[in-house]
Amino acid sequence: MATTSSSTITVPAPAPAGPLLYCGGKEPVFLAALAFSVGIIAANYLWRSPQSWLIACLVALIAAAFFYRRSPQIGFGLALLALIPLGGFYLQARDAAAPTIAENLQLFATGDDQVDVTAYVIREGLVRDSPYGGKQESVDVNAEQLQLGDRVLKAAVGIRLTIYSKQTEEDEARDEGTGSPLRVYTYGQRLHFIAKLRMPRNYRNPGAMDMAGYLASQGIRLTGSSRASSVQVLPGFVGSRIGLWRSAARRSVLAHIMQLWPGERGALMQATLIGGRAFFGRDIKTEFQRTGTYHILVVSGINVGILAFTVFWALRKLPFGETWATILTILLSWGYAFLADLGSPIVRATITLGIYLVTRLLFRDRAALNGLGIAALGILLVNPRTLFEASFQLTFLSVIAVAGIAVPVLRQTVYPFRKALSNLDSPAFNFALPTRAAQFRFDVRLVRDQIENLSNRRVANFAIVGAARFVIGAAELLFTSTVIQIALALPMAWYFHRATTMALPANALVIPIAGILLPAAVVAVAASYVAQWLAWLPALIARYSLDALTGTIHTIGHLRVSEVRVPTPALWVCCAAAGAFGLALLLARRRMALASVGLAGLLVAAVWIVLFPPKPRWQPGVLEVTAIDVGQGDSLLLITPEGKTLLMDAGGTPGNARSDFDVGEEVVSPYLWSRGIRRLDAVAISHAHADHLGGMRSVISNFQPRELWYGVESPSRGFRDVEQAARSNHMGLKPFVAGESFEFGRVHVRVLNPQPGWRPRDPPQDDESLVLRLQYGGSSVLLLGDAHKRIEKLLVDEAPQSDLLKVGHHGSATSSSPEFLAAVKPRYAVVSVGFYNSFKLPREDVMERYADAHIPTYRTDLSGAVSFYLDGTNISARPVPR
């Protein structure tokens, strides 16, 4: 018993915490989710039988039960340890139980055969201009039956289908006044169509995005294309009534948005509000990515958070009370998620928000990380492979950074001063504040009283108290944004190779604007269902807010410092950055001095990722030639014995198509970054066809080469765009013609084509190709571009014997003549070609010609990226490990 010295009142001493009361501190669920995630990661990269994981889990649980009464801390630690093998067991058990019909699908997914498909729509399409001319529509369907000849497969298979009409069909329909032959197919409609189907296939280079895995996470197992004339709508409806209502509501809201804000504003508003797939310029998307504000442009956690905060704040102002405000906010958030894109990110954000609000209601702010742990465990139990999705990691790391680092630090620093501004005229409130906050409160009241003598109480409160609250709020926002940005430095560098140096000021400006834009836009859309005049004012506010937001992004995005691209961090840097994050999380609740150490470690890790990238990986004393898998196109990386780098071509979309997919940004650049390459010494264009130069503008922007090599100065638009990009980046332009030679990093370069006096044509010609022969010691490489037999005949006379030949024109019959092969006598050959290319390249007879000549030939469609090493005497070849 404990007694006071001045009275006989006794106060019972707190009972000692028994072993059964120990639950691992304040965040046991968060720690459990972390341990379970570690197990999932371990099982993904370190395969063991499910039985092995289960036995390890049981052993750890038995040990936890044994030690718990002796030492609760050790028992709890062992219980957490048991969750690691449990996570591994769960992942592998789920993988084993997942149905697989890949082998059956492969029979129907050759990319060539016309497959008879019966299916129903699960995601509505949107008609747009096709990059190949005409119109196209992307729609997701679920197959009921696939039929190819006498083979029939009845299985629910997700297909991402592109339905297209050719330009001639569009012109015909316009002349007849019938509109486009394409129509928008809606949810639940049953369709019958003839399509060419393909299995989703990744670019087979290190650093390439797992597009097949991304589509699989959305339930898409096949992609396909079908002409609009072959699509028939069948009677009947397949799907849920709720899904049908959602689909109709979405179409209605999207239509109202376009009525309120026509043109590109409407497309941006659709994307921001409910994840509409209307199309706007790629430059806008790039500017949002550069400034680290892309989360505003798509429906993400920040959009859900802004709207939920606005609703929650408004409901608390009304006589609802905390409980009903929480319940209504959760219900409205789920209604918003249901109406929006309903993709994984927004569902995860809504789940996390709901759990946070409930735990906040029950336990106030003490259980934020526990609430996050509950959300993470729930999501991982539904699909453990969600853990490997970038959006999942970014969402949860952001929330952990806020709840586990920013908020605890703010509680020790800023929050007391914000609290000091409440009940300013109540003297008793001073005693509930720390000394510095109480002194601050006294100073504010003193200044306010001085101002009040010159005006009145309302003006004084607005001028002093309002200004103080604004400064404190701005400081909170600035600090929280800083913590988020430095916490996300590692995943941003790993997944997107971006150091968003301007993300802090951009988000500090953009998020408050979005806080006005989103609620105003929602009110405008809702009011437009009653009367258009009711929507006028909120629509005007939303319009000016959107203009301010995009104007801010445009201004910041055009600053050179905003575009910092970084190679893939080294493994030890990733481990150090993860350790710094954990340390900051651990120290944030300690004294401010220790919390500062944690923050400093996190900042150092972020700065290191940006300022100290890994060194490029190359072999000194060896000439390397790597054919990068860019699909149907060409891109070759050459590294000289001294480490100088040359990129010959950068892939692109074949033909004259203008596609939103940028091979230079999405394929070539990630491979170069995976090699630790941050700058290129030179880039070269073989000729001005889109499948060779289409990605070069992005490569120039990302890697700042010193020189641009080319043969013919083509008048084509593609070449002019690349030339302009080179001039904007202050690159040296170097045209070459046959007969020239020079040294490049101890490698002798000889130009064999184009011929002197060649007159460029528009459209460009294959025979304009820049043909280079590189000699290092006694070994050599011949890069042929797309040159045809006519150019090969000219080269035969010069007997360009070479150890490695880049096969001309992707293995087409226009090149690789027997006489040419006999003259070159290559020891190896490589052909760059797309797996599902419509040109049917490489030609079988051409490949047989190489086989008959006993020339080992590598294909990027089969081998992926492949590297050749020439040491001056010998040459070796090996596919790049992935």
Side-chain angles (χ1 to χ4, degrees):
M1 303 286 262
T3 61
T4 63
S5 58
S6 59
S7 72
T8 59
I9 299 175
T10 60
V11 180
L20 295 178
L21 297 178
Y22 184 79
C23 60
K26 295 181 179 180
E27 291 90 22
V29 185
F30 176 74
L31 294 176
L34 189 63
F36 193 73
S37 300
V38 170
I40 293 173
I41 296 171
N44 186 68
Y45 295 104
L46 182 65
W47 189 90
R48 292 290 183 272
S49 67
Q51 295 85 350
S52 301
W53 293 111
L54 194 56
I55 291 171
C57 177
L58 291 174
V59 169
L61 284 175
I62 292 170
F66 177 79
F67 280 102
Y68 196 73
R69 287 192 174 275
R70 294 166 177 80
S71 173
Q73 291 83 357
I74 294 177
F76 180 77
L78 289 170
L80 282 180
L81 189 64
L83 289 174
I84 296 177
L86 181 62
F89 168 77
Y90 189 71
L91 176 74
Q92 295 195 345
R94 282 291 301 267
D95 286 351
T100 174
I101 55 173
E103 293 182 4
N104 293 331
L105 289 180
Q106 188 65 60
L107 300 174
F108 297 88
T110 64
D112 298 323
D113 297 321
Q114 301 278 357
V115 181
D116 190 289
V117 183
T118 304
Y120 57 91
V121 178
I122 56 177
R123 189 200 64 157
E124 297 182 356
L126 182 68
V127 177
R128 63 175 298 193
D129 292 333
S130 168
Y132 299 94
K135 300 283 186 180
Q136 72 176 35
E137 175 183 4
S138 176
V139 58
D140 289 353
V141 300
N142 217 23
E144 299 174 356
Q145 176 179 292
L146 307 178
Q147 182 171 356
L148 179 61
D150 58 353
R151 293 197 297 265
V152 177
L153 176 64
K154 293 187 177 182
V157 179
I159 303 174
R160 180 149 294 173
L161 181 68
T162 299
I163 305 173
Y164 65 92
S165 62
K166 295 187 176 180
Q167 188 62 53
T168 53
E169 296 171 315
E170 292 292 328
D171 294 340
E172 234 176 78
R174 187 178 62 250
D175 293 341
E176 294 175 0
T178 58
S180 173
L182 273 180
R183 56 176 290 183
V184 175
Y185 299 97
T186 58
Y187 174 82
Q189 281 186 325
R190 297 183 68 241
L191 305 178
H192 175 267
F193 52 88
I194 306 298
K196 293 182 178 180
L197 302 179
R198 305 171 179 86
M199 301 281 285
R201 188 175 176 84
N202 297 328
Y203 290 94
R204 306 179 72 188
N205 309 307
M209 177 184 176
D210 182 13
M211 180 58 70
Y214 171 73
L215 291 176
S217 70
Q218 299 182 346
I220 303 299
R221 303 295 298 275
L222 296 172
T223 61
S225 58
S226 176
R227 290 188 66 164
S229 57
S230 79
V231 182
Q232 298 176 332
V233 178
L234 301 177
F237 170 83
V238 180
S240 67
R241 290 296 168 188
I242 293 178
L244 184 62
W245 297 337
R246 173 183 177 270
S247 176
R250 252 182 84 80
R251 285 198 306 274
S252 176
V253 170
L254 291 172
H256 276 254
I257 289 174
M258 293 306 294
Q259 288 175 2
L260 291 170
W261 303 281
E264 192 170 67
R265 281 196 188 96
L268 287 168
M269 202 69 78
Q270 285 183 351
T272 303
L273 276 183
I274 62 171
R277 289 177 291 115
F279 300 98
F280 40 83
R282 181 178 177 84
D283 290 344
I284 293 178
K285 176 181 176 182
T286 302
E287 287 172 357
F288 274 84
Q289 290 173 333
R290 283 178 177 174
T291 55
T293 55
Y294 188 64
H295 51 82
I296 297 292
L297 194 59
V298 294
V299 176
S300 63
I302 191 70
N303 304 56
V304 177
I306 289 173
L307 290 173
F309 171 80
T310 304
V311 170
F312 188 66
W313 176 83
L315 291 174
R316 290 181 69 189
K317 294 296 181 182
L318 298 174
F320 280 108
E322 193 88 0
T323 301
W324 278 108
T326 299
I327 293 172
L328 290 174
T329 300
I330 293 172
L331 291 176
L332 290 173
S333 298
W334 273 109
Y336 173 70
F338 178 76
L339 188 62
D341 200 25
L342 209 61
S344 298
I346 189 172
V347 171
R348 287 196 293 264
T350 310
I351 291 172
T352 305
L353 172 71
I355 292 174
Y356 171 75
L357 288 175
V358 170
T359 53
R360 180 187 180 278
L361 179 66
L362 297 178
F363 306 107
R364 300 303 170 186
D365 293 330
R366 292 177 297 168
L369 287 179
N370 270 337
L372 186 63
I374 294 171
L377 280 174
I379 292 169
L380 293 178
L381 287 173
V382 173
N383 182 7
R385 290 205 169 272
T386 302
L387 182 63
F388 302 102
E389 295 179 13
S391 61
F392 175 88
Q393 295 174 19
L394 291 170
T395 298
F396 275 85
L397 281 175
S398 299
V399 180
I400 292 171
V402 173
I405 300 176
V407 170
V409 172
L410 287 171
R411 280 180 180 150
Q412 299 183 61
T413 53
V414 177
Y415 284 5
F417 294 95
R418 185 178 68 180
K419 188 177 180 181
L421 296 176
S422 302
N423 301 315
L424 201 61
D425 294 315
S426 172
F429 198 73
N430 295 343
F431 300 102
L433 297 172
T435 304
R436 288 195 303 165
Q439 180 62 47
F440 170 74
R441 176 184 174 87
F442 175 79
D443 293 339
V444 169
R445 190 166 55 230
L446 184 64
V447 175
R448 186 201 63 178
D449 293 343
Q450 294 294 328
I451 298 294
E452 184 180 351
N453 293 332
L454 302 176
S455 55
N456 57 59
R457 173 61 63 90
R458 180 172 295 181
V459 172
N461 273 330
F462 177 81
I464 302 304
V465 181
R469 283 177 176 154
F470 175 81
V471 171
I472 291 173
E476 288 181 23
L477 177 62
L478 188 63
F479 177 75
T480 303
S481 298
T482 302
V483 171
I484 292 174
Q485 295 307 319
I486 60 177
L488 296 184
L490 176 60
M492 289 297 294
W494 183 271
Y495 290 111
F496 308 111
H497 303 283
R498 290 186 182 274
T500 50
T501 54
M502 298 302 294
L504 181 58
N507 278 285
L509 294 172
V510 163
I511 289 179
I513 297 174
I516 300 172
L517 166 65
L518 292 172
V522 169
V523 171
V525 173
S528 68
Y529 280 90
V530 180
Q532 285 292 325
W533 66 268
L534 283 176
W536 178 80
L537 182 59
L540 188 66
I541 294 172
R543 173 184 172 178
Y544 284 124
S545 299
L546 181 64
D547 290 346
L549 188 146
T550 53
T552 302
I553 296 301
H554 179 76
T555 301
I556 297 176
H558 272 64
L559 298 175
R560 172 70 70 179
V561 70
S562 68
E563 182 70 347
V564 177
R565 309 307 296 268
V566 293
T568 305
L571 182 59
W572 73 268
V573 174
C574 296
C575 294
F581 185 87
L583 182 65
L585 196 63
L586 186 66
L587 298 180
R589 287 180 172 81
R590 303 296 188 267
R591 294 195 308 270
M592 197 56 217
L594 293 175
S596 300
V597 171
L599 289 172
L602 199 58
L603 179 61
V604 168
V607 171
W608 188 279
I609 290 171
V610 177
L611 299 183
F612 301 96
K615 294 181 179 179
R617 293 191 292 278
W618 58 286
Q619 296 186 22
V622 173
L623 171 61
E624 176 192 335
V625 180
T626 296
I628 304 171
D629 178 15
V630 291
Q632 187 59 30
D634 265 9
S635 186
L636 300 167
L637 172 66
L638 295 93
I639 305 180
T640 72
E642 291 182 346
K644 297 192 73 173
T645 51
L646 165 68
L647 184 76
M648 182 82 170
D649 293 329
T653 306
N656 296 319
R658 298 185 64 82
S659 172
D660 289 335
F661 185 78
D662 188 337
V663 175
E665 172 68 28
E666 309 292 345
V667 181
V668 178
S669 293
Y671 172 70
L672 299 178
W673 283 317
S674 76
R675 295 285 303 271
I677 296 173
R678 195 170 190 174
R679 295 290 301 270
L680 289 168
D681 292 292
V683 293
I685 296 173
S686 63
H687 63 298
H689 279 167
D691 57 333
H692 291 253
L693 58 66
M696 191 58 78
R697 289 179 62 193
S698 292
V699 169
I700 289 173
S701 174
N702 292 337
F703 296 92
Q704 304 293 308
R706 295 178 176 85
E707 298 175 349
L708 171 64
W709 302 355
Y710 58 92
V712 173
E713 188 171 351
S714 174
S716 67
R717 178 178 175 180
F719 182 85
R720 294 301 179 195
D721 288 345
V722 173
E723 185 180 39
Q724 179 58 41
R727 294 185 189 279
S728 299
N729 286 274
H730 310 291
M731 294 171 57
L733 304 181
K734 290 195 171 183
F736 294 109
V737 295
E740 295 184 81
S741 61
F742 55 94
E743 296 293 318
F744 181 72
R746 290 175 55 198
V747 173
H748 182 73
V749 182
R750 187 171 155 215
V751 182
L752 304 179
N753 198 59
Q755 303 304 307
W758 184 283
R759 298 183 62 183
R761 302 179 187 178
D762 193 10
Q765 305 296 307
D766 288 331
D767 283 343
E768 297 174 356
S769 291
L770 177 65
V771 178
L772 301 178
R773 184 174 184 272
L774 291 83
Q775 180 89 29
Y776 173 58
S779 52
S780 56
V781 180
L782 182 60
L783 308 179
L784 203 59
D786 278 358
H788 289 190
K789 293 177 181 177
R790 179 170 62 142
I791 302 301
E792 290 182 349
K793 186 175 181 181
L794 297 176
L795 300 182
V796 166
D797 296 335
E798 301 195 25
Q801 191 281 324
S802 299
D803 297 291
L804 173 63
L805 171 66
K806 202 290 294 184
V807 176
H809 204 193
H810 316 288
S812 170
T814 62
S815 308
S816 300
S817 64
E819 297 80 13
F820 178 70
L821 292 183
V824 177
K825 300 183 180 66
R827 296 168 62 184
Y828 287 97
V830 61
V831 54
S832 184
V833 65
F835 189 81
Y836 285 119
N837 75 86
S838 60
F839 306 103
K840 307 293 189 269
L841 299 178
R843 287 284 297 270
E844 185 176 348
D845 56 334
V846 173
M847 291 296 95
E848 287 178 354
R849 198 174 300 156
Y850 281 85
D852 293 342
H854 305 290
I855 303 170
T857 304
Y858 288 84
R859 297 169 45 166
T860 56
D861 61 333
L862 300 180
S863 301
V866 58
S867 295
F868 302 87
Y869 300 95
L870 298 85
D871 62 6
T873 304
N874 298 313
I875 178 173
S876 60
R878 63 174 178 263
V880 174
R882 291 178 296 279

